[in-house]
């Protein structure tokens, strides 16, 4: 059965497919094949970043699939080393050259890097690029509540979404509430726990068995029913399809509660955005 992703309405009135496709750690020369497979499966939302080094591969995959980029939702991200107004302008042009696009659907500040003291200047450049019509929607990634609030108060412009680490072992209940309070959608990176232990969790396995589904599909159905946007990554066509078919799976309220209960204080797998300062 052919599925279509539900759309999430952003605070600027635009729509983003709730299930997208991520390409973190996919080498540039393998990215085209993965993106082509994803598009042929039905995905219409691709998540890349300047630092992944595969924006060119993303474009090649789009062309290989024979789809007009205008019919896709494409996100890329401004790398930490390029924060600041002028650097953002330059880095944006570079990304757009690699992606071969005139207009980008969504640009994100990749990490807040609070210790740099630059995210407010960076955001000014985002606002300017949006005014110039070069970006449709602007957002952030890895922004703790405190920095999200500061950005909104300083600029008066609310990001459309905050892309954060989020999976059953680290479900970000608090930050989701903050995002929602400001009308900021929550997008999950590492939605499958980056391929870690969560994919063999016994509680998830029991739920998967009951639905004759895979654990990955259960997790992705949980994301969808929670209302988060998820961008699972795989380079394996059968898994790309398996993840897409999670759109046909609906969990009960009781099952959702069981998955919510798996979150733990030490469940974070990646860096803490409050202190992250790498370039
Ligand atoms: P993920 O949670 O999507 O996990 C990906 C891994 O899970 C794969 O490499 C594979 O090992 C495994 N996997 C995928 N499908 C599977 C299946 N059906 N069955 C079994 N195993 C499966 O992790 P991710 O790639 O880190 O995150 C998704 C996307 O989020 C990235 O590709 C990237 O676009 C984005 N991301 C953003 C940030 C950020 O700082 N903003 C950080 C990390 C990732």
């Amino acid at each position: 059965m052919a599925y279509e992703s539900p759309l999430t309405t952003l605070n600027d009135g635009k729509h983003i497919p709730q299930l997208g496709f991520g390409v973190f750690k996919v080498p540039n020369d393998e990215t085209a094949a993965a993106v082509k497979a994803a598009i042929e499966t039905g995905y219409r939302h691709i998540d890349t970043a300047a630092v992944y080094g595969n924006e060119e591969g993303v474009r090649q995959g789009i062309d290989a699939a024979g789809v007009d980029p205008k019919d896709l939702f494409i996100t890329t991200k401004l790398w930490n080393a390029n924060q600041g107004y002028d650097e953002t302008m330059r880095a944006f042009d570079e990304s757009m050259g690699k992606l071969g696009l005139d207009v980008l659907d969504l640009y994100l500040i990749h990490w807040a890097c609070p210790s740099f003291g630059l995210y407010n200047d960076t955001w000014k450049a985002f606002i300017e690029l949006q005014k110039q019509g070069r970006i449709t929607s602007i957002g952030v990634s890895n922004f703790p509540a405190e920095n999200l609030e500061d950005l909104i108060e300083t600029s008066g412009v609310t990001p459309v979404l905050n892309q954060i680490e989020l999976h059953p072992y680290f479900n970000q209940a608090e930050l989701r509430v903050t995002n929602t309070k400001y009308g900021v959608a929550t997008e999950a990176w590492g939605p499958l726990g980056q391929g870690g232990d969560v994919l063999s969790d016994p509680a998830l396995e029991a739920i998967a068995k009951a639905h004759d589904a895979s654990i990955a599909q259960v997790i992705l159905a949980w994301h969808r029913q929670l209302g988060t946007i998820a961008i699972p990554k795989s380079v394996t066509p059968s898994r790309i399809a398996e993840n897409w078919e999670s759109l046909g799976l609906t969990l009960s309220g009781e099952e959702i509660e069981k998955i919510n209960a798996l979150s733990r204080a030490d469940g974070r797998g990646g860096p803490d955005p409050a202190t992250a300062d790498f370039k």
Side-chain angles (χ1 to χ4, degrees):
M1 174 168 176
Y3 296 106
E4 271 186 35
S5 169
L7 299 173
T8 298
T9 304
L10 301 171
N11 65 25
D12 62 2
K14 306 295 177 199
H15 297 94
I16 184 172
Q18 202 187 349
L19 183 60
F21 183 70
V23 294
F24 180 42
K25 289 193 173 158
V26 183
N28 192 50
D29 60 359
E30 289 174 32
T31 299
V35 166
K36 179 174 182 275
I39 293 171
E40 286 173 352
T41 301
Y43 294 80
R44 288 294 174 270
H45 164 190
I46 317 281
D47 182 275
T48 183
V51 77
Y52 302 169
N54 56 19
E55 289 166 314
E56 285 165 320
V58 166
R59 179 55 198 246
Q60 287 158 10
I62 294 169
D63 291 342
V67 169
D68 187 335
K70 288 195 182 77
D71 295 329
L72 301 173
F73 190 103
I74 300 166
T75 303
T76 194
K77 314 186 192 82
L78 183 272
W79 184 236
N80 305 347
N82 301 120
Q83 281 213 31
Y85 190 92
D86 293 340
E87 266 300 295
T88 296
M89 291 300 195
R90 197 198 55 71
F92 176 74
D93 281 342
E94 199 176 314
S95 280
M96 292 299 269
K98 289 181 176 164
L99 286 166
L101 297 174
D102 295 326
V103 182
L104 178 68
D105 295 294
L106 176 63
Y107 202 32
L108 303 179
I109 303 181
H110 205 145
W111 291 82
C113 296
S115 67
F116 298 178
L118 285 173
Y119 61 71
N120 282 317
D121 281 348
T122 305
W123 192 237
K124 272 190 201 154
F126 274 49
I127 294 166
E128 176 57 28
L129 288 164
Q130 188 182 39
K131 271 195 193 136
Q132 293 176 6
R134 304 192 64 203
I135 311 174
T136 304
S137 298
I138 54 177
V140 297
S141 177
N142 299 304
F143 265 59
E146 184 191 342
N147 306 108
L148 181 69
E149 284 164 355
D150 176 46
L151 186 93
I152 295 169
E153 273 168 31
T154 306
S155 65
V157 179
T158 305
V160 293
L161 60 79
N162 190 6
Q163 183 184 116
I164 54 177
E165 179 181 349
L166 199 166
H167 45 76
Y169 284 171
F170 197 66
N171 74 25
Q172 298 264 24
E174 256 182 68
L175 190 48
R176 279 191 279 129
V177 169
T178 304
N179 286 342
T180 303
K181 177 177 156 194
Y182 291 100
V184 174
T186 299
E187 181 168 46
W189 70 251
L192 300 173
Q194 302 198 283
D197 291 350
V198 75
L199 285 171
S200 50
D201 182 275
L204 293 174
E205 196 178 3
I207 296 171
K209 266 202 183 131
H211 288 277
D212 198 15
S214 70
I215 293 183
Q217 288 174 328
V218 167
I219 296 174
L220 292 171
W222 171 77
H223 279 287
R224 194 184 71 242
Q225 291 179 248
L226 221 56
T228 59
I229 301 154
I231 44 173
K233 170 221 143 180
S234 175
V235 292
T236 310
S238 58
R239 283 178 170 177
I240 292 172
E242 177 186 323
N243 294 345
W244 187 247
E245 282 155 19
S246 68
L247 291 169
L249 173 63
T250 300
L251 305 173
S252 69
E254 200 184 320
E255 287 167 333
I256 297 283
E257 283 311 318
K258 274 190 188 154
I259 301 173
N260 288 345
L262 297 176
S263 196
R264 47 202 205 204
D266 66 352
R268 193 194 288 285
D272 182 347
T275 51
D277 60 357
F278 41 83
K279 294 185 180 178

